[in-house]
Amino acid sequence: MEANEYIGVDVGKARTGLARGSRLARLAETLKTVPTEQAIAEIEKLANKNLAGVVVGLPRNLKGEDTEQTKWVRDWVDSAKQKINATFYWQDEALTSKLAEAKILAGGTVNNVDSLAAQIILQDFFDSPESLRVVC
């Protein structure tokens, strides 16, 4: 049986939002937000034999260039890959936190910006053609 669950991650220096979704349903849902120092351990708990991959939001500036935050997230993923046996993917996270905040202000039911940003990252991944997916 092919693994079909993905975990979406919006990594921040203080907090990390988590989401999950099925490759089959192609729908992402929010999970929770955890302190970033606990995020790898939390993903390890969520990972199971059905885990197809971990999708991490890659922060860049509006011109698509790397920033200090980009380097920090790349380093975080390198650490996570040493502990979590899964394929990691990059997903552009341009403006996902702003979109999450806007959804909440517009009356959304989720009141956690970080996990909602992770959900948006994962949904963008599902909505993108497989040929455009980038393995970390």
Side-chain angles (χ1 to χ4, degrees):
M1 182 170 102
E2 187 177 352
N4 67 35
E5 185 170 292
Y6 286 86
I7 297 173
V9 185
D10 180 40
V11 183
K13 289 194 176 180
R15 296 178 318 275
T16 295
L18 301 173
R20 73 170 161 211
S22 163
R23 176 182 62 80
L24 301 174
R26 300 181 64 84
L27 273 174
E29 65 179 339
T30 60
L31 277 177
K32 62 171 99 178
T33 297
V34 297
T36 296
E37 65 268 9
Q38 297 172 16
I40 293 173
E42 191 64 35
I43 294 168
E44 284 179 297
K45 285 185 214 172
L46 294 169
N48 58 43
K49 62 182 178 251
N50 199 31
L51 183 64
V54 178
V55 180
V56 180
L58 183 64
R60 292 192 166 152
N61 67 23
L62 293 177
K63 293 180 181 177
E65 302 164 335
D66 285 4
T67 65
E68 282 299 312
Q69 182 72 8
T70 310
K71 180 185 178 335
W72 188 87
V73 170
R74 287 183 192 276
D75 290 344
W76 184 90
V77 167
D78 287 343
S79 296
K81 285 168 61 175
Q82 292 176 20
K83 297 186 178 206
I84 301 166
N85 184 22
T87 303
F88 280 72
Y89 297 90
W90 292 121
Q91 181 63 40
D92 181 18
E93 70 164 39
L95 303 176
T96 54
S97 292
K98 295 291 183 197
L99 181 57
E101 290 170 5
K103 283 186 173 190
I104 290 168
L105 289 174
T109 57
V110 177
N111 61 4
N112 190 310
V113 171
D114 302 302
S115 63
L116 185 54
Q119 177 193 18
I120 293 166
I121 289 165
L122 186 55
Q123 191 63 55
D124 286 349
F125 176 81
F126 287 143
D127 293 345
S128 299
E130 287 190 33
S131 62
L132 296 180
R133 294 181 179 171
V134 178
V135 175
C136 299

